[in-house]
Structures are given as C-alpha cells and as structure tokens.
Amino acid sequence: MIAVLGGQAIGWMWVWPALVVAGSLIIGYAAVNLARGGRESSRIGAGAGAAARRIRDECYARGEIDEQEYRRRRSVLP
C-alpha cells in the first residue's frame, strides 16, 4: 500500500474528492429542481404560455374571435 502511494497512484488522489463534490452538486441540483415542482416545468410552462398568448392575439387580429371573447380569454391566460 505504501509503495502505491509513493508511486504513480498519488497523482490520482484528487479523483475521488472531485467525484464526491461533483456528485454532491448533481444531487443538490436535482433536489432543488424537484422542490420547485418538476424537471422542466417552469421553462415549458413559460414557453407554452407565450405561445398561447401569441395564438390568442393572432386569432383576434384575423377576426376569428370578437373583442368580448378576446377579453375573456385574456382574463384566463394573462
């Protein structure tokens, strides 16, 4: 064992602490992400909301929905 530590293996001693730190960071990130409510729900939700608003505005611009319907949909999806 002492011969291994005195030889080339001593250069690899940084690998285990680095793996422990990296693993801890990954587990911490996963825990925070799950606590927020899911894997990608916040990014997907924001993109879906923007797409829905764009479609709603386009329908109103084309005359497919009247102002009353536009305002009703706008109150549901700000």
Side-chain angles (χ1 to χ4, degrees):
M1 188 76 157
I2 295 173
V4 174
L5 290 177
Q8 295 177 348
I10 201 162
W12 289 92
M13 288 181 61
W14 62 271
V15 172
W16 286 110
L19 289 175
V20 169
V21 169
S24 298
L25 290 173
I26 290 170
I27 290 171
Y29 175 77
V32 168
N33 203 14
L34 287 174
R36 287 185 177 169
R39 293 181 296 253
E40 298 179 13
S41 61
S42 61
R43 280 189 279 156
I44 292 173
R53 286 188 293 274
R54 182 180 50 80
I55 292 169
R56 177 197 62 211
D57 293 343
E58 289 174 0
C59 287
Y60 179 66
R62 286 192 298 262
E64 295 174 2
I65 58 174
D66 61 358
E67 185 176 354
Q68 183 180 8
E69 179 65 15
Y70 176 78
R71 290 185 187 277
R72 186 189 68 78
R73 290 184 184 188
R74 189 171 178 194
S75 69
V76 173
L77 182 66

